[in-house]
Amino acid sequence: SFHARVAPETVYVGQQASYEIAVFLDDDVRQRLRRNPEFVPPELRGLLAYDLPAGRRSLRGRVVDGRRYDVHVFERAVFPLAAGRIEIPPAQLNYLLPQSTGFFSREESYTARSEARTLVAVDPPAAGRPADWRGAVGALRATARLDAARARVGDPLVLTLRVEGRANVKLLPRPALALAWASVVPGEERVTLDSTSLAVRGAKEYDWILTPRTSGVQATPALRYPFFD
C-alpha cells in the first residue's frame, strides 16, 4: 500500500507545507522482497522542495484495519511560489516480487501509485502591509555589522545584513538601502540552509559596498526587514 498526503492543504505563498509519502509493507510482502523498491517522486511544478532527513522514519508493527504493516515514511518541505491551486501528481513505487518461494524463482515487476494531491496557495493579506514589505514570509530576526569602524573618504567598506530564522531563506528579498554620506552598491549574497528538522530554517546575508563621500562621524540607520509570519 502506497499513500501520499500534503499538510496543511492551504498555505500562504512562501509558507512551508509538508508533502509526505508512506509505504505500507505487510509481513508477506516484506519477507518476499529481495531488494529495495525504487521510489519515483512526482514532478513538483510551482513549488520549491527540500528533502527532510528528519522526516524519514520507519514504524514497525503498525496495525491498520486488522493487518500488520511496517511503515516507511519519506517527507519533503514544499514552498509555493505563486498563489493558486497546485496539482501534485501521483508518486510511483516500482518493485519486484518472486513468482514462487524458490531461490531461483523469476521476479515479476509491479508498480504502485499514490494519490494525486492538491495544495492551495493564497497571497498574504493586503491589510496592514508595510510599504517596504517585499514578500518575505517566515519567523525572522535581523542583525547588521560593518567590517571596519574607520575608513577614509573614498575607501570602501562593507555593510552586512544577516536575516535568519524559520523560512525559505533562499528566496528572501534584499531590502533597499540608501545613505546620504556614502555611495551604496549591492554586493554578495550568501545562504545557509538547515533542513535537518521538520521546519526549514537558515540564514541569508546581504553585503553592500559603502564608499564614504563625507568626512566625520557617520552612522548607518537601523535596517528594517518586514516579514509576514
Side-chain angles (χ1 to χ4, degrees), residues 132-170:
D132 52 349
W133 180 73
R134 295 190 170 191
V137 174
L140 302 169
R141 63 187 183 94
T143 54
R145 66 181 185 271
L146 281 168
D147 70 337
R150 293 177 177 270
R152 293 178 180 273
V153 172
D155 289 346
L157 63 157
V158 179
L159 172 66
T160 300
L161 173 69
R162 179 181 175 89
V163 180
E164 58 187 322
R166 188 187 73 248
N168 180 12
V169 294
K170 283 187 177 180

Side-chain angles (χ1 to χ4, degrees), residues 85-138:
R85 291 176 60 88
I86 302 171
E87 303 297 333
I88 302 176
Q92 183 172 306
L93 192 73
N94 301 323
Y95 61 100
L96 300 171
L97 289 179
Q99 296 177 349
S100 67
T101 58
F103 181 79
F104 296 103
S105 171
R106 294 181 59 185
E107 293 181 315
E108 187 172 352
S109 299
Y110 295 88
T111 296
R113 289 180 174 84
S114 71
E115 305 86 349
R117 292 300 184 193
T118 300
L119 179 66
V120 178
V122 296
D123 284 320
R129 285 185 186 178
D132 52 349
W133 180 73
R134 295 190 170 191
V137 174

Side-chain angles (χ1 to χ4, degrees), residues 15-134:
Q15 179 187 353
Q16 178 179 327
S18 294
Y19 176 71
E20 191 175 271
I21 287 288
V23 182
F24 294 75
L25 300 177
D26 64 17
D27 290 340
D28 176 63
V29 171
R30 180 171 51 81
Q31 292 171 6
R32 293 170 61 196
L33 280 174
R34 295 176 178 174
R35 67 194 77 183
N36 289 331
E38 176 196 13
F39 170 58
V40 182
E43 183 178 0
L44 300 177
R45 295 183 177 179
L47 297 169
L48 194 60
Y50 302 95
D51 291 343
L52 297 176
R56 297 183 183 182
R57 54 198 185 273
S58 295
L59 311 172
R60 302 289 182 181
R62 299 301 296 266
V63 178
V64 181
D65 295 332
R67 298 184 65 180
R68 186 175 180 274
Y69 295 92
D70 287 348
V71 186
H72 302 277
V73 180
F74 169 78
E75 191 169 343
R76 286 177 131 182
V78 294
F79 294 86
L81 302 178
R85 291 176 60 88
I86 302 171
E87 303 297 333
I88 302 176
Q92 183 172 306
L93 192 73
N94 301 323
Y95 61 100
L96 300 171
L97 289 179
Q99 296 177 349
S100 67
T101 58
F103 181 79
F104 296 103
S105 171
R106 294 181 59 185
E107 293 181 315
E108 187 172 352
S109 299
Y110 295 88
T111 296
R113 289 180 174 84
S114 71
E115 305 86 349
R117 292 300 184 193
T118 300
L119 179 66
V120 178
V122 296
D123 284 320
R129 285 185 186 178
D132 52 349
W133 180 73
R134 295 190 170 191

Side-chain angles (χ1 to χ4, degrees), residues 151-197:
R152 293 178 180 273
V153 172
D155 289 346
L157 63 157
V158 179
L159 172 66
T160 300
L161 173 69
R162 179 181 175 89
V163 180
E164 58 187 322
R166 188 187 73 248
N168 180 12
V169 294
K170 283 187 177 180
L171 296 186
L172 292 180
R174 177 189 288 265
L177 175 65
L179 297 174
W181 55 269
S183 64
V184 179
V185 177
E188 294 183 354
E189 296 183 5
R190 295 174 296 279
V191 172
T192 303
L193 190 68
D194 178 10
S195 59
T196 58
S197 65

